[in-house]
Amino acid sequence: MYSEKVMDHFNHPRNVGEIENASGVGTVGNAKCGDIMRMYLDIDDNQIIRECKFKTFGCGAAVATSSMATELVTGKSVQEAMQVTNKAVMEALDGLPPVKVHCSLLAEEAIHAALWDYAKKNDIIIDGLKEPKADISEEEVEV
Protein backbone atom coordinates (compact mmCIF):
# COMPACT_ATOMS: atom_id res chain seq x y z
CA MET A 1 0.00 0.00 0.00
CA TYR A 2 1.35 3.41 -0.97
CA SER A 3 1.11 6.57 1.13
CA GLU A 4 -0.87 9.60 -0.08
CA LYS A 5 2.44 11.42 -0.71
CA VAL A 6 3.76 8.61 -2.92
CA MET A 7 0.52 8.62 -4.91
CA ASP A 8 0.62 12.42 -5.21
CA HIS A 9 4.21 12.41 -6.52
CA PHE A 10 3.36 9.56 -8.91
CA ASN A 11 0.18 11.20 -10.24
CA HIS A 12 1.63 14.74 -10.23
CA PRO A 13 5.41 14.39 -10.46
CA ARG A 14 7.43 17.54 -9.89
CA ASN A 15 10.38 18.68 -11.99
CA VAL A 16 10.03 16.20 -14.84
CA GLY A 17 12.21 16.85 -17.86
CA GLU A 18 15.72 17.77 -18.84
CA ILE A 19 17.97 20.74 -18.17
CA GLU A 20 19.78 21.94 -21.27
CA ASN A 21 23.51 22.39 -20.59
CA ALA A 22 23.11 20.91 -17.12
CA SER A 23 25.93 21.34 -14.62
CA GLY A 24 25.71 17.63 -13.88
CA VAL A 25 23.76 14.66 -15.24
CA GLY A 26 23.63 11.24 -13.63
CA THR A 27 21.96 8.09 -14.89
CA VAL A 28 21.54 5.02 -12.70
CA GLY A 29 19.67 1.76 -12.88
CA ASN A 30 19.64 -1.38 -14.90
CA ALA A 31 18.24 -1.27 -18.42
CA LYS A 32 17.87 -5.04 -18.54
CA CYS A 33 15.72 -5.51 -15.45
CA GLY A 34 13.87 -2.36 -14.59
CA ASP A 35 14.00 1.14 -13.25
CA ILE A 36 16.26 3.78 -14.74
CA MET A 37 16.64 7.32 -13.38
CA ARG A 38 18.38 10.29 -14.90
CA MET A 39 18.92 13.41 -12.76
CA TYR A 40 19.86 16.82 -14.14
CA LEU A 41 21.36 19.52 -11.91
CA ASP A 42 21.82 23.23 -12.56
CA ILE A 43 24.40 24.43 -10.01
CA ASP A 44 25.45 28.07 -9.61
CA ASP A 45 28.91 29.52 -8.89
CA ASN A 46 28.28 29.24 -5.13
CA GLN A 47 27.59 25.50 -5.50
CA ILE A 48 23.86 25.90 -4.86
CA ILE A 49 21.49 23.68 -6.82
CA ARG A 50 19.23 26.15 -8.62
CA GLU A 51 17.23 23.52 -10.44
CA CYS A 52 16.90 19.75 -10.51
CA LYS A 53 14.91 17.73 -13.05
CA PHE A 54 14.51 14.05 -13.72
CA LYS A 55 13.46 11.50 -16.27
CA THR A 56 12.57 8.04 -15.03
CA PHE A 57 11.63 4.81 -16.70
CA GLY A 58 10.06 2.55 -14.14
CA CYS A 59 7.26 1.90 -11.70
CA GLY A 60 5.19 4.40 -9.76
CA ALA A 61 7.54 4.26 -6.78
CA ALA A 62 10.49 5.08 -9.06
CA VAL A 63 8.66 8.13 -10.40
CA ALA A 64 7.61 9.23 -6.89
CA THR A 65 11.10 8.85 -5.40
CA SER A 66 12.66 10.73 -8.33
CA SER A 67 10.14 13.53 -7.94
CA MET A 68 10.69 13.81 -4.18
CA ALA A 69 14.48 13.71 -4.58
CA THR A 70 14.35 16.75 -6.88
CA GLU A 71 12.39 18.66 -4.26
CA LEU A 72 14.82 17.68 -1.51
CA VAL A 73 17.93 18.97 -3.31
CA THR A 74 16.63 22.08 -5.07
CA GLY A 75 17.92 25.19 -3.30
CA LYS A 76 20.48 23.19 -1.33
CA SER A 77 24.25 23.40 -1.49
CA VAL A 78 26.18 20.58 -3.14
CA GLN A 79 27.30 19.44 0.31
CA GLU A 80 23.72 19.49 1.66
CA ALA A 81 22.59 17.46 -1.37
CA MET A 82 25.20 14.86 -0.44
CA GLN A 83 23.28 14.33 2.82
CA VAL A 84 20.04 13.36 1.02
CA THR A 85 19.85 9.62 1.60
CA ASN A 86 17.40 7.00 0.45
CA LYS A 87 16.04 7.01 4.01
CA ALA A 88 15.38 10.78 3.77
CA VAL A 89 13.54 10.25 0.46
CA MET A 90 11.42 7.47 1.97
CA GLU A 91 10.63 9.53 5.08
CA ALA A 92 9.63 12.53 2.96
CA LEU A 93 7.20 10.23 1.12
CA ASP A 94 5.83 8.78 4.39
CA GLY A 95 7.38 5.40 3.60
CA LEU A 96 7.52 2.83 0.84
CA PRO A 97 6.58 -0.86 0.75
CA PRO A 98 9.64 -3.04 1.47
CA VAL A 99 9.75 -4.32 -2.12
CA LYS A 100 10.06 -0.71 -3.37
CA VAL A 101 12.86 0.51 -1.08
CA HIS A 102 15.33 0.00 -3.95
CA CYS A 103 13.63 2.92 -5.76
CA SER A 104 14.66 5.31 -2.99
CA LEU A 105 18.21 3.98 -3.21
CA LEU A 106 18.21 4.68 -6.96
CA ALA A 107 17.11 8.26 -6.25
CA GLU A 108 20.05 8.74 -3.86
CA GLU A 109 22.43 7.18 -6.40
CA ALA A 110 21.08 9.39 -9.21
CA ILE A 111 21.76 12.53 -7.15
CA HIS A 112 25.29 11.31 -6.42
CA ALA A 113 25.90 10.38 -10.08
CA ALA A 114 24.83 13.88 -11.20
CA LEU A 115 27.06 15.44 -8.53
CA TRP A 116 29.94 13.24 -9.71
CA ASP A 117 29.42 14.47 -13.28
CA TYR A 118 29.39 18.07 -12.02
CA ALA A 119 32.59 17.52 -10.00
CA LYS A 120 34.30 15.88 -12.98
CA LYS A 121 33.32 18.69 -15.36
CA ASN A 122 34.60 21.32 -12.93
CA ASP A 123 37.68 19.43 -11.70
CA ILE A 124 36.60 19.66 -8.05
CA ILE A 125 36.32 17.22 -5.17
CA ILE A 126 33.09 16.93 -3.20
CA ASP A 127 33.67 15.55 0.29
CA GLY A 128 32.24 12.05 0.66
CA LEU A 129 31.35 11.64 -3.01
CA LYS A 130 32.45 8.39 -4.63
CA GLU A 131 32.49 7.46 -8.28
CA PRO A 132 29.19 5.84 -9.28
CA LYS A 133 29.29 2.04 -9.54
CA ALA A 134 28.04 1.77 -13.09
CA ASP A 135 27.00 4.72 -15.18
CA ILE A 136 24.53 4.02 -17.93
CA SER A 137 25.38 6.10 -20.96
CA GLU A 138 22.71 7.94 -22.93
CA GLU A 139 23.56 5.73 -25.90
CA GLU A 140 22.51 2.63 -23.97
CA VAL A 141 19.02 3.75 -22.99
CA GLU A 142 16.52 6.48 -23.64
CA VAL A 143 14.37 7.47 -20.66
Side-chain angles (χ1 to χ4, degrees):
M1 191 74 163
Y2 292 112
S3 72
E4 284 184 35
K5 281 188 182 178
V6 171
M7 293 307 297
D8 183 43
H9 276 268
F10 169 65
N11 288 314
H12 310 284
R14 284 69 151 174
N15 307 307
V16 176
E18 300 177 20
I19 297 174
E20 222 175 289
N21 301 314
S23 305
V25 179
T27 304
V28 297
N30 186 324
K32 291 183 177 138
C33 72
D35 303 326
I36 299 165
M37 292 182 188
R38 183 169 295 144
M39 273 302 160
Y40 299 82
L41 300 175
D42 177 25
I43 302 171
D44 71 16
D45 293 338
N46 296 317
Q47 295 192 344
I48 302 297
I49 299 170
R50 287 188 292 217
E51 187 177 22
C52 181
K53 291 194 175 218
F54 78 94
K55 290 178 85 178
T56 292
F57 178 83
C59 66
V63 171
T65 56
S66 299
S67 174
M68 180 55 80
T70 66
E71 288 200 325
L72 292 174
V73 301
T74 300
K76 302 283 195 282
S77 70
V78 165
Q79 208 53 55
E80 288 170 321
M82 282 292 300
Q83 307 309 311
V84 174
T85 63
N86 72 304
K87 185 177 178 186
V89 172
M90 284 193 306
E91 287 174 359
L93 288 168
D94 294 336
L96 287 172
V99 296
K100 296 298 181 178
V101 169
H102 70 278
C103 293
S104 64
L105 188 56
L106 276 179
E108 176 186 334
E109 290 173 355
I111 293 165
H112 288 184
L115 288 171
W116 180 266
D117 183 51
Y118 163 73
K120 228 169 73 176
K121 287 177 180 175
N122 291 281
D123 198 27
I124 60 171
I125 294 172
I126 299 172
D127 288 340
L129 184 61
K130 295 180 180 143
E131 185 171 5
K133 293 176 199 150
D135 190 36
I136 300 170
S137 72
E138 290 194 28
E139 294 77 40
E140 290 180 72
V141 66
E142 186 61 40
V143 290

